[in-house]
Amino acid sequence: MASPVVLCDHAIVLVPNDLGNGCRYGRSRYRAQLVDSSNKSLAEFTFASIEGRSFASRRRHVSTAFATICWFNEIRRQLGAATPTDIQRILEPIDEEYEDPQAVRRRWRDYRSGVHAPAAQTIALSERRCSGTTQILQSPLWDSLRLDRPATQVGLALAGRTCAEGDELLSRMLGSTGGLSNDPRWLKKRCTAVLLVGNLESLGVLTICMRLAGEAKLNRAAAAFYQAATRCLLILGPWLFRHGIARAIGEYYEHVLRPACCPDPLTQSGCFCSSYYLKSIEALDRMKTRVEEERGRALDSSELAHVILTELTLQSG
């Protein structure tokens, strides 16, 4: 099993203020300052391809933009840099005799917005200074979001990069060890185990299983995987927000993936609502802050996933 991407370090802090909007960016003894990120809506990614949209013929897929934005914001977090130019000065000093300074600075600004993906040389350069950034950029999650990539191919790439239960779900959905059990408790138990890992690969596994179930017309299984995937979005919410894609990826699941994979009306009941996603992240992050202060230490990714999943289970009755 591959080393998981650490998602819980330096999570966001959202606490009440007197400005009328209910939250401000702050700091706790367990957290670092929130990275300032725009969290654009999906509609603002007009330079990218999204299935079913008028600009779907353009080359760069929105999932590539998501990956690049997360990669950039992780570099910025690790370096403590305020702007793309600050990062460029640290990682890629300009030799004006051979390079156009404006072009280099523009390229780093484009990484921030996801307009351009980094070249292999830039990826390697960043990894030497900021460990783990390549793993984020190359996570199988991003391919799992692409409806133009065969789900079987992406599922095979994910195998071995998640927990035993995740591998079992992939194996059954890919048909190598028989189909899914008819017992919904069996499926729920394995989805819960995947959720408790609480990393990007967890979301990738649940997304691919949802796509495979949708392709096989297994509507109830597809709905169960969609529900688990959107719970994973909530578990990963603080990390996705801090890395600049929470709003857009929430909208992508609701408006692109759900209609493609779970078109049956039965999936409408209790569905994830992306318009409330950021508010849900705020509430869950406040809960995380409270638990950490009670325990006197920061939560690791599995503990965070367990706390959030327990709260979601209580809310759903």
Side-chain angles (χ1 to χ4, degrees), residues 258-305:
R258 188 196 60 75
C261 304
C262 310
D264 193 278
L266 66 87
T267 66
Q268 301 294 325
S269 178
C271 265
F272 169 82
C273 183
S274 60
S275 60
Y276 292 103
Y277 182 38
L278 296 186
K279 287 293 184 182
S280 297
I281 291 173
E282 293 175 16
L284 291 170
D285 196 74
R286 285 196 295 270
M287 179 191 68
K288 177 194 172 188
T289 302
R290 186 185 71 249
V291 172
E292 287 180 329
E293 290 175 347
E294 289 172 354
R295 297 186 184 184
R297 60 179 178 82
L299 301 175
D300 64 29
S301 57
S302 294
E303 290 174 322
L304 173 61

mmCIF file of all heavy atoms in Angstrom, residues 258-305:
data_model
loop_
_atom_site.group_PDB
_atom_site.id
_atom_site.type_symbol
_atom_site.label_atom_id
_atom_site.label_comp_id
_atom_site.label_asym_id
_atom_site.label_seq_id
_atom_site.Cartn_x
_atom_site.Cartn_y
_atom_site.Cartn_z
ATOM 1 N N ARG A 258 -22.777 12.920 -10.524
ATOM 2 C CA ARG A 258 -24.033 12.281 -10.107
ATOM 3 C C ARG A 258 -24.980 12.042 -11.278
ATOM 4 O O ARG A 258 -25.490 10.921 -11.431
ATOM 5 C CB ARG A 258 -24.736 13.100 -9.013
ATOM 6 C CG ARG A 258 -25.939 12.369 -8.418
ATOM 7 C CD ARG A 258 -26.846 13.292 -7.652
ATOM 8 N NE ARG A 258 -27.372 14.358 -8.494
ATOM 9 C CZ ARG A 258 -28.326 14.206 -9.397
ATOM 10 N NH1 ARG A 258 -28.870 13.012 -9.605
ATOM 11 N NH2 ARG A 258 -28.727 15.220 -10.117
ATOM 12 N N PRO A 259 -25.243 13.040 -12.134
ATOM 13 C CA PRO A 259 -26.143 12.751 -13.265
ATOM 14 C C PRO A 259 -25.601 11.667 -14.198
ATOM 15 O O PRO A 259 -26.378 10.906 -14.772
ATOM 16 C CB PRO A 259 -26.234 14.097 -13.990
ATOM 17 C CG PRO A 259 -25.871 15.118 -12.972
ATOM 18 C CD PRO A 259 -24.849 14.460 -12.102
ATOM 19 N N ALA A 260 -24.280 11.592 -14.350
ATOM 20 C CA ALA A 260 -23.693 10.603 -15.252
ATOM 21 C C ALA A 260 -23.745 9.197 -14.673
ATOM 22 O O ALA A 260 -23.925 8.225 -15.413
ATOM 23 C CB ALA A 260 -22.248 10.975 -15.571
ATOM 24 N N CYS A 261 -23.595 9.082 -13.353
ATOM 25 C CA CYS A 261 -23.466 7.761 -12.729
ATOM 26 C C CYS A 261 -24.704 7.323 -11.965
ATOM 27 O O CYS A 261 -24.925 6.114 -11.797
ATOM 28 C CB CYS A 261 -22.278 7.759 -11.770
ATOM 29 S SG CYS A 261 -20.718 8.232 -12.524
ATOM 30 N N CYS A 262 -25.488 8.265 -11.493
ATOM 31 C CA CYS A 262 -26.649 7.931 -10.653
ATOM 32 C C CYS A 262 -27.879 8.682 -11.157
ATOM 33 O O CYS A 262 -28.449 9.516 -10.431
ATOM 34 C CB CYS A 262 -26.389 8.312 -9.202
ATOM 35 S SG CYS A 262 -24.834 7.733 -8.530
ATOM 36 N N PRO A 263 -28.325 8.422 -12.383
ATOM 37 C CA PRO A 263 -29.455 9.186 -12.923
ATOM 38 C C PRO A 263 -30.805 8.773 -12.362
ATOM 39 O O PRO A 263 -31.791 9.484 -12.541
ATOM 40 C CB PRO A 263 -29.390 8.865 -14.420
ATOM 41 C CG PRO A 263 -28.765 7.503 -14.476
ATOM 42 C CD PRO A 263 -27.774 7.461 -13.349
ATOM 43 N N ASP A 264 -30.861 7.651 -11.675
ATOM 44 C CA ASP A 264 -32.138 7.142 -11.164
ATOM 45 C C ASP A 264 -32.696 8.074 -10.093
ATOM 46 O O ASP A 264 -31.950 8.562 -9.244
ATOM 47 C CB ASP A 264 -31.946 5.738 -10.579
ATOM 48 C CG ASP A 264 -33.275 5.044 -10.338
ATOM 49 O OD1 ASP A 264 -33.888 5.317 -9.297
ATOM 50 O OD2 ASP A 264 -33.687 4.241 -11.192
ATOM 51 N N PRO A 265 -34.006 8.335 -10.091
ATOM 52 C CA PRO A 265 -34.605 9.232 -9.093
ATOM 53 C C PRO A 265 -34.359 8.813 -7.653
ATOM 54 O O PRO A 265 -34.359 9.643 -6.747
ATOM 55 C CB PRO A 265 -36.105 9.183 -9.425
ATOM 56 C CG PRO A 265 -36.157 8.799 -10.867
ATOM 57 C CD PRO A 265 -34.992 7.890 -11.101
ATOM 58 N N LEU A 266 -34.123 7.503 -7.411
ATOM 59 C CA LEU A 266 -33.939 7.060 -6.034
ATOM 60 C C LEU A 266 -32.687 7.672 -5.414
ATOM 61 O O LEU A 266 -32.536 7.722 -4.199
ATOM 62 C CB LEU A 266 -33.878 5.534 -5.950
ATOM 63 C CG LEU A 266 -32.696 4.780 -6.606
ATOM 64 C CD1 LEU A 266 -31.518 4.678 -5.635
ATOM 65 C CD2 LEU A 266 -33.128 3.387 -7.008
ATOM 66 N N THR A 267 -31.741 8.149 -6.245
ATOM 67 C CA THR A 267 -30.526 8.750 -5.710
ATOM 68 C C THR A 267 -30.738 10.185 -5.255
ATOM 69 O O THR A 267 -29.861 10.778 -4.663
ATOM 70 C CB THR A 267 -29.400 8.726 -6.765
ATOM 71 O OG1 THR A 267 -29.774 9.578 -7.855
ATOM 72 C CG2 THR A 267 -29.146 7.331 -7.274
ATOM 73 N N GLN A 268 -31.910 10.753 -5.530
ATOM 74 C CA GLN A 268 -32.148 12.147 -5.154
ATOM 75 C C GLN A 268 -32.357 12.317 -3.662
ATOM 76 O O GLN A 268 -32.115 13.379 -3.111
ATOM 77 C CB GLN A 268 -33.389 12.673 -5.899
ATOM 78 C CG GLN A 268 -33.281 12.622 -7.418
ATOM 79 C CD GLN A 268 -32.212 13.547 -7.939
ATOM 80 O OE1 GLN A 268 -31.994 14.617 -7.400
ATOM 81 N NE2 GLN A 268 -31.536 13.120 -8.997
ATOM 82 N N SER A 269 -32.839 11.255 -3.001
ATOM 83 C CA SER A 269 -33.159 11.362 -1.581
ATOM 84 C C SER A 269 -31.894 11.531 -0.746
ATOM 85 O O SER A 269 -30.986 10.712 -0.791
ATOM 86 C CB SER A 269 -33.910 10.101 -1.132
ATOM 87 O OG SER A 269 -34.192 10.162 0.242
ATOM 88 N N GLY A 270 -31.863 12.583 0.039
ATOM 89 C CA GLY A 270 -30.731 12.812 0.932
ATOM 90 C C GLY A 270 -29.427 13.109 0.219
ATOM 91 O O GLY A 270 -28.354 12.848 0.743
ATOM 92 N N CYS A 271 -29.494 13.658 -0.975
ATOM 93 C CA CYS A 271 -28.288 13.888 -1.773
ATOM 94 C C CYS A 271 -27.444 15.020 -1.199
ATOM 95 O O CYS A 271 -27.953 15.943 -0.568
ATOM 96 C CB CYS A 271 -28.655 14.213 -3.221
ATOM 97 S SG CYS A 271 -28.631 12.788 -4.298
ATOM 98 N N PHE A 272 -26.168 14.928 -1.471
ATOM 99 C CA PHE A 272 -25.206 15.984 -1.178
ATOM 100 C C PHE A 272 -25.602 17.250 -1.934
ATOM 101 O O PHE A 272 -25.980 17.193 -3.103
ATOM 102 C CB PHE A 272 -23.840 15.477 -1.633
ATOM 103 C CG PHE A 272 -22.757 16.500 -1.660
ATOM 104 C CD1 PHE A 272 -22.072 16.845 -0.513
ATOM 105 C CD2 PHE A 272 -22.364 17.079 -2.861
ATOM 106 C CE1 PHE A 272 -21.042 17.759 -0.554
ATOM 107 C CE2 PHE A 272 -21.330 17.996 -2.915
ATOM 108 C CZ PHE A 272 -20.669 18.335 -1.749
ATOM 109 N N CYS A 273 -25.500 18.396 -1.273
ATOM 110 C CA CYS A 273 -25.858 19.671 -1.900
ATOM 111 C C CYS A 273 -24.625 20.576 -1.882
ATOM 112 O O CYS A 273 -24.207 21.039 -0.819
ATOM 113 C CB CYS A 273 -27.019 20.316 -1.159
ATOM 114 S SG CYS A 273 -27.584 21.853 -1.915
ATOM 115 N N SER A 274 -24.054 20.805 -3.052
ATOM 116 C CA SER A 274 -22.795 21.553 -3.110
ATOM 117 C C SER A 274 -22.948 22.997 -2.651
ATOM 118 O O SER A 274 -21.983 23.605 -2.182
ATOM 119 C CB SER A 274 -22.231 21.524 -4.536
ATOM 120 O OG SER A 274 -23.131 22.113 -5.455
ATOM 121 N N SER A 275 -24.149 23.558 -2.754
ATOM 122 C CA SER A 275 -24.330 24.954 -2.346
ATOM 123 C C SER A 275 -24.167 25.140 -0.836
ATOM 124 O O SER A 275 -23.928 26.252 -0.370
ATOM 125 C CB SER A 275 -25.707 25.464 -2.788
ATOM 126 O OG SER A 275 -26.737 24.694 -2.201
ATOM 127 N N TYR A 276 -24.286 24.051 -0.066
ATOM 128 C CA TYR A 276 -24.089 24.116 1.382
ATOM 129 C C TYR A 276 -22.737 23.535 1.806
ATOM 130 O O TYR A 276 -22.437 23.460 3.006
ATOM 131 C CB TYR A 276 -25.207 23.353 2.105
ATOM 132 C CG TYR A 276 -26.557 24.000 1.973
ATOM 133 C CD1 TYR A 276 -27.503 23.493 1.093
ATOM 134 C CD2 TYR A 276 -26.896 25.128 2.723
ATOM 135 C CE1 TYR A 276 -28.747 24.090 0.959
ATOM 136 C CE2 TYR A 276 -28.131 25.734 2.589
ATOM 137 C CZ TYR A 276 -29.054 25.208 1.704
ATOM 138 O OH TYR A 276 -30.291 25.805 1.560
ATOM 139 N N TYR A 277 -21.935 23.125 0.835
ATOM 140 C CA TYR A 277 -20.700 22.395 1.147
ATOM 141 C C TYR A 277 -19.727 23.227 1.981
ATOM 142 O O TYR A 277 -19.194 22.756 2.998
ATOM 143 C CB TYR A 277 -20.049 21.936 -0.159
ATOM 144 C CG TYR A 277 -18.792 21.118 -0.013
ATOM 145 C CD1 TYR A 277 -18.635 20.182 1.004
ATOM 146 C CD2 TYR A 277 -17.748 21.274 -0.923
ATOM 147 C CE1 TYR A 277 -17.485 19.421 1.112
ATOM 148 C CE2 TYR A 277 -16.587 20.515 -0.826
ATOM 149 C CZ TYR A 277 -16.465 19.590 0.197
ATOM 150 O OH TYR A 277 -15.323 18.836 0.299
ATOM 151 N N LEU A 278 -19.479 24.480 1.592
ATOM 152 C CA LEU A 278 -18.517 25.288 2.326
ATOM 153 C C LEU A 278 -18.984 25.561 3.751
ATOM 154 O O LEU A 278 -18.182 25.572 4.688
ATOM 155 C CB LEU A 278 -18.245 26.604 1.587
ATOM 156 C CG LEU A 278 -17.583 26.481 0.207
ATOM 157 C CD1 LEU A 278 -17.245 27.867 -0.335
ATOM 158 C CD2 LEU A 278 -16.352 25.607 0.242
ATOM 159 N N LYS A 279 -20.291 25.769 3.935
ATOM 160 C CA LYS A 279 -20.815 25.960 5.287
ATOM 161 C C LYS A 279 -20.643 24.700 6.123
ATOM 162 O O LYS A 279 -20.359 24.757 7.324
ATOM 163 C CB LYS A 279 -22.294 26.362 5.231
ATOM 164 C CG LYS A 279 -22.532 27.787 4.767
ATOM 165 C CD LYS A 279 -21.990 28.786 5.787
ATOM 166 C CE LYS A 279 -22.293 30.211 5.386
ATOM 167 N NZ LYS A 279 -21.717 31.190 6.348
ATOM 168 N N SER A 280 -20.823 23.533 5.481
ATOM 169 C CA SER A 280 -20.625 22.265 6.195
ATOM 170 C C SER A 280 -19.170 22.123 6.624
ATOM 171 O O SER A 280 -18.883 21.642 7.729
ATOM 172 C CB SER A 280 -21.025 21.089 5.307
ATOM 173 O OG SER A 280 -22.395 21.142 4.978
ATOM 174 N N ILE A 281 -18.256 22.531 5.754
ATOM 175 C CA ILE A 281 -16.833 22.473 6.100
ATOM 176 C C ILE A 281 -16.552 23.343 7.318
ATOM 177 O O ILE A 281 -15.830 22.944 8.237
ATOM 178 C CB ILE A 281 -15.969 22.924 4.906
ATOM 179 C CG1 ILE A 281 -16.047 21.895 3.773
ATOM 180 C CG2 ILE A 281 -14.515 23.115 5.335
ATOM 181 C CD1 ILE A 281 -15.366 22.353 2.487
ATOM 182 N N GLU A 282 -17.129 24.535 7.344
ATOM 183 C CA GLU A 282 -16.937 25.426 8.493
ATOM 184 C C GLU A 282 -17.387 24.760 9.788
ATOM 185 O O GLU A 282 -16.680 24.775 10.801
ATOM 186 C CB GLU A 282 -17.717 26.720 8.283
ATOM 187 C CG GLU A 282 -17.213 27.606 7.155
ATOM 188 C CD GLU A 282 -18.110 28.803 6.936
ATOM 189 O OE1 GLU A 282 -18.920 29.097 7.832
ATOM 190 O OE2 GLU A 282 -18.000 29.440 5.876
ATOM 191 N N ALA A 283 -18.595 24.176 9.748
ATOM 192 C CA ALA A 283 -19.142 23.559 10.954
ATOM 193 C C ALA A 283 -18.286 22.379 11.408
ATOM 194 O O ALA A 283 -17.999 22.218 12.601
ATOM 195 C CB ALA A 283 -20.576 23.108 10.690
ATOM 196 N N LEU A 284 -17.881 21.528 10.464
ATOM 197 C CA LEU A 284 -17.085 20.359 10.815
ATOM 198 C C LEU A 284 -15.691 20.763 11.292
ATOM 199 O O LEU A 284 -15.113 20.123 12.178
ATOM 200 C CB LEU A 284 -16.980 19.417 9.611
ATOM 201 C CG LEU A 284 -18.294 18.715 9.233
ATOM 202 C CD1 LEU A 284 -18.149 18.008 7.888
ATOM 203 C CD2 LEU A 284 -18.712 17.724 10.313
ATOM 204 N N ASP A 285 -15.156 21.835 10.749
ATOM 205 C CA ASP A 285 -13.841 22.275 11.187
ATOM 206 C C ASP A 285 -13.885 22.856 12.592
ATOM 207 O O ASP A 285 -12.964 22.667 13.382
ATOM 208 C CB ASP A 285 -13.271 23.299 10.210
ATOM 209 C CG ASP A 285 -11.779 23.480 10.428
ATOM 210 O OD1 ASP A 285 -11.016 22.582 10.040
ATOM 211 O OD2 ASP A 285 -11.392 24.511 11.005
ATOM 212 N N ARG A 286 -14.971 23.542 12.918
ATOM 213 C CA ARG A 286 -15.123 24.026 14.295
ATOM 214 C C ARG A 286 -15.200 22.849 15.258
ATOM 215 O O ARG A 286 -14.640 22.886 16.356
ATOM 216 C CB ARG A 286 -16.363 24.914 14.410
ATOM 217 C CG ARG A 286 -16.183 26.299 13.806
ATOM 218 C CD ARG A 286 -17.288 27.252 14.281
ATOM 219 N NE ARG A 286 -18.596 26.837 13.804
ATOM 220 C CZ ARG A 286 -19.131 27.227 12.656
ATOM 221 N NH1 ARG A 286 -18.436 28.014 11.839
ATOM 222 N NH2 ARG A 286 -20.333 26.835 12.301
ATOM 223 N N MET A 287 -15.920 21.798 14.825
ATOM 224 C CA MET A 287 -16.005 20.601 15.659
ATOM 225 C C MET A 287 -14.623 19.981 15.847
ATOM 226 O O MET A 287 -14.252 19.563 16.943
ATOM 227 C CB MET A 287 -16.950 19.593 15.022
ATOM 228 C CG MET A 287 -17.102 18.298 15.805
ATOM 229 S SD MET A 287 -17.977 17.059 14.847
ATOM 230 C CE MET A 287 -16.764 16.733 13.561
ATOM 231 N N LYS A 288 -13.840 19.932 14.775
ATOM 232 C CA LYS A 288 -12.484 19.392 14.855
ATOM 233 C C LYS A 288 -11.642 20.193 15.839
ATOM 234 O O LYS A 288 -10.907 19.628 16.657
ATOM 235 C CB LYS A 288 -11.835 19.401 13.479
ATOM 236 C CG LYS A 288 -10.387 18.907 13.502
ATOM 237 C CD LYS A 288 -9.672 19.231 12.218
ATOM 238 C CE LYS A 288 -8.186 18.910 12.352
ATOM 239 N NZ LYS A 288 -7.396 19.362 11.222
ATOM 240 N N THR A 289 -11.737 21.512 15.776
ATOM 241 C CA THR A 289 -10.991 22.366 16.701
ATOM 242 C C THR A 289 -11.349 22.043 18.138
ATOM 243 O O THR A 289 -10.478 21.924 19.011
ATOM 244 C CB THR A 289 -11.291 23.851 16.416
ATOM 245 O OG1 THR A 289 -10.953 24.145 15.065
ATOM 246 C CG2 THR A 289 -10.512 24.753 17.350
ATOM 247 N N ARG A 290 -12.646 21.875 18.388
ATOM 248 C CA ARG A 290 -13.106 21.566 19.746
ATOM 249 C C ARG A 290 -12.540 20.234 20.246
ATOM 250 O O ARG A 290 -12.049 20.133 21.378
ATOM 251 C CB ARG A 290 -14.634 21.527 19.777
ATOM 252 C CG ARG A 290 -15.213 21.364 21.200
ATOM 253 C CD ARG A 290 -16.715 21.215 21.196
ATOM 254 N NE ARG A 290 -17.137 19.918 20.664
ATOM 255 C CZ ARG A 290 -17.774 19.747 19.511
ATOM 256 N NH1 ARG A 290 -18.076 20.802 18.751
ATOM 257 N NH2 ARG A 290 -18.131 18.541 19.111
ATOM 258 N N VAL A 291 -12.589 19.214 19.386
ATOM 259 C CA VAL A 291 -12.092 17.889 19.778
ATOM 260 C C VAL A 291 -10.587 17.936 20.041
ATOM 261 O O VAL A 291 -10.093 17.348 21.007
ATOM 262 C CB VAL A 291 -12.427 16.843 18.686
ATOM 263 C CG1 VAL A 291 -11.743 15.514 18.980
ATOM 264 C CG2 VAL A 291 -13.928 16.649 18.581
ATOM 265 N N GLU A 292 -9.855 18.647 19.196
ATOM 266 C CA GLU A 292 -8.407 18.747 19.381
ATOM 267 C C GLU A 292 -8.073 19.458 20.690
ATOM 268 O O GLU A 292 -7.149 19.060 21.410
ATOM 269 C CB GLU A 292 -7.778 19.484 18.201
ATOM 270 C CG GLU A 292 -7.732 18.652 16.938
ATOM 271 C CD GLU A 292 -7.097 19.380 15.764
ATOM 272 O OE1 GLU A 292 -7.215 20.620 15.703
ATOM 273 O OE2 GLU A 292 -6.495 18.699 14.915
ATOM 274 N N GLU A 293 -8.816 20.495 21.011
ATOM 275 C CA GLU A 293 -8.554 21.215 22.251
ATOM 276 C C GLU A 293 -8.901 20.359 23.468
ATOM 277 O O GLU A 293 -8.218 20.408 24.493
ATOM 278 C CB GLU A 293 -9.323 22.531 22.258
ATOM 279 C CG GLU A 293 -8.755 23.534 21.250
ATOM 280 C CD GLU A 293 -9.576 24.803 21.139
ATOM 281 O OE1 GLU A 293 -10.714 24.810 21.649
ATOM 282 O OE2 GLU A 293 -9.083 25.775 20.533
ATOM 283 N N GLU A 294 -9.958 19.544 23.345
ATOM 284 C CA GLU A 294 -10.320 18.635 24.437
ATOM 285 C C GLU A 294 -9.249 17.578 24.655
ATOM 286 O O GLU A 294 -8.934 17.215 25.780
ATOM 287 C CB GLU A 294 -11.665 17.962 24.136
ATOM 288 C CG GLU A 294 -12.857 18.895 24.232
ATOM 289 C CD GLU A 294 -14.140 18.245 23.735
ATOM 290 O OE1 GLU A 294 -14.072 17.101 23.217
ATOM 291 O OE2 GLU A 294 -15.209 18.878 23.851
ATOM 292 N N ARG A 295 -8.681 17.084 23.555
ATOM 293 C CA ARG A 295 -7.669 16.024 23.653
ATOM 294 C C ARG A 295 -6.268 16.576 23.881
ATOM 295 O O ARG A 295 -5.364 15.831 24.251
ATOM 296 C CB ARG A 295 -7.673 15.175 22.383
ATOM 297 C CG ARG A 295 -8.988 14.436 22.160
ATOM 298 C CD ARG A 295 -8.904 13.490 20.966
ATOM 299 N NE ARG A 295 -10.188 12.850 20.701
ATOM 300 C CZ ARG A 295 -10.388 11.929 19.772
ATOM 301 N NH1 ARG A 295 -9.367 11.524 19.017
ATOM 302 N NH2 ARG A 295 -11.584 11.401 19.591
ATOM 303 N N GLY A 296 -6.080 17.859 23.639
ATOM 304 C CA GLY A 296 -4.779 18.476 23.851
ATOM 305 C C GLY A 296 -3.753 18.151 22.792
ATOM 306 O O GLY A 296 -2.541 18.278 23.020
ATOM 307 N N ARG A 297 -4.198 17.746 21.614
ATOM 308 C CA ARG A 297 -3.282 17.417 20.527
ATOM 309 C C ARG A 297 -4.038 17.461 19.201
ATOM 310 O O ARG A 297 -5.265 17.423 19.161
ATOM 311 C CB ARG A 297 -2.677 16.023 20.709
ATOM 312 C CG ARG A 297 -3.704 14.902 20.742
ATOM 313 C CD ARG A 297 -3.051 13.539 20.890
ATOM 314 N NE ARG A 297 -4.047 12.477 20.969
ATOM 315 C CZ ARG A 297 -4.652 11.931 19.920
ATOM 316 N NH1 ARG A 297 -4.359 12.360 18.693
ATOM 317 N NH2 ARG A 297 -5.539 10.968 20.067
ATOM 318 N N ALA A 298 -3.274 17.519 18.118
ATOM 319 C CA ALA A 298 -3.874 17.504 16.786
ATOM 320 C C ALA A 298 -4.308 16.091 16.422
ATOM 321 O O ALA A 298 -3.708 15.114 16.862
ATOM 322 C CB ALA A 298 -2.877 18.026 15.756
ATOM 323 N N LEU A 299 -5.354 15.995 15.621
ATOM 324 C CA LEU A 299 -5.840 14.701 15.137
ATOM 325 C C LEU A 299 -5.069 14.295 13.883
ATOM 326 O O LEU A 299 -4.768 15.139 13.038
ATOM 327 C CB LEU A 299 -7.329 14.781 14.794
ATOM 328 C CG LEU A 299 -8.285 15.182 15.921
ATOM 329 C CD1 LEU A 299 -9.701 15.319 15.366
ATOM 330 C CD2 LEU A 299 -8.263 14.165 17.047
ATOM 331 N N ASP A 300 -4.769 12.990 13.770
ATOM 332 C CA ASP A 300 -4.221 12.534 12.501
ATOM 333 C C ASP A 300 -5.368 12.289 11.525
ATOM 334 O O ASP A 300 -6.546 12.451 11.870
ATOM 335 C CB ASP A 300 -3.341 11.282 12.672
ATOM 336 C CG ASP A 300 -4.110 10.052 13.167
ATOM 337 O OD1 ASP A 300 -5.325 9.930 12.887
ATOM 338 O OD2 ASP A 300 -3.479 9.188 13.814
ATOM 339 N N SER A 301 -5.050 11.917 10.284
ATOM 340 C CA SER A 301 -6.087 11.839 9.248
ATOM 341 C C SER A 301 -7.148 10.799 9.569
ATOM 342 O O SER A 301 -8.340 11.025 9.334
ATOM 343 C CB SER A 301 -5.447 11.547 7.882
ATOM 344 O OG SER A 301 -4.685 10.367 7.920
ATOM 345 N N SER A 302 -6.752 9.645 10.124
ATOM 346 C CA SER A 302 -7.731 8.602 10.455
ATOM 347 C C SER A 302 -8.631 9.043 11.604
ATOM 348 O O SER A 302 -9.842 8.793 11.584
ATOM 349 C CB SER A 302 -7.021 7.294 10.816
ATOM 350 O OG SER A 302 -6.352 6.769 9.691
ATOM 351 N N GLU A 303 -8.052 9.693 12.606
ATOM 352 C CA GLU A 303 -8.856 10.180 13.729
ATOM 353 C C GLU A 303 -9.836 11.246 13.270
ATOM 354 O O GLU A 303 -11.002 11.265 13.695
ATOM 355 C CB GLU A 303 -7.939 10.748 14.820
ATOM 356 C CG GLU A 303 -7.119 9.707 15.548
ATOM 357 C CD GLU A 303 -6.124 10.331 16.501
ATOM 358 O OE1 GLU A 303 -5.546 11.381 16.155
ATOM 359 O OE2 GLU A 303 -5.922 9.778 17.593
ATOM 360 N N LEU A 304 -9.365 12.138 12.403
ATOM 361 C CA LEU A 304 -10.242 13.182 11.877
ATOM 362 C C LEU A 304 -11.405 12.559 11.109
ATOM 363 O O LEU A 304 -12.558 12.960 11.264
ATOM 364 C CB LEU A 304 -9.455 14.113 10.969
ATOM 365 C CG LEU A 304 -10.265 15.168 10.209
ATOM 366 C CD1 LEU A 304 -10.984 16.100 11.171
ATOM 367 C CD2 LEU A 304 -9.357 15.954 9.263
ATOM 368 N N ALA A 305 -11.105 11.564 10.276
ATOM 369 C CA ALA A 305 -12.150 10.898 9.509
ATOM 370 C C ALA A 305 -13.167 10.244 10.435
ATOM 371 O O ALA A 305 -14.378 10.325 10.208
ATOM 372 C CB ALA A 305 -11.531 9.850 8.582
#
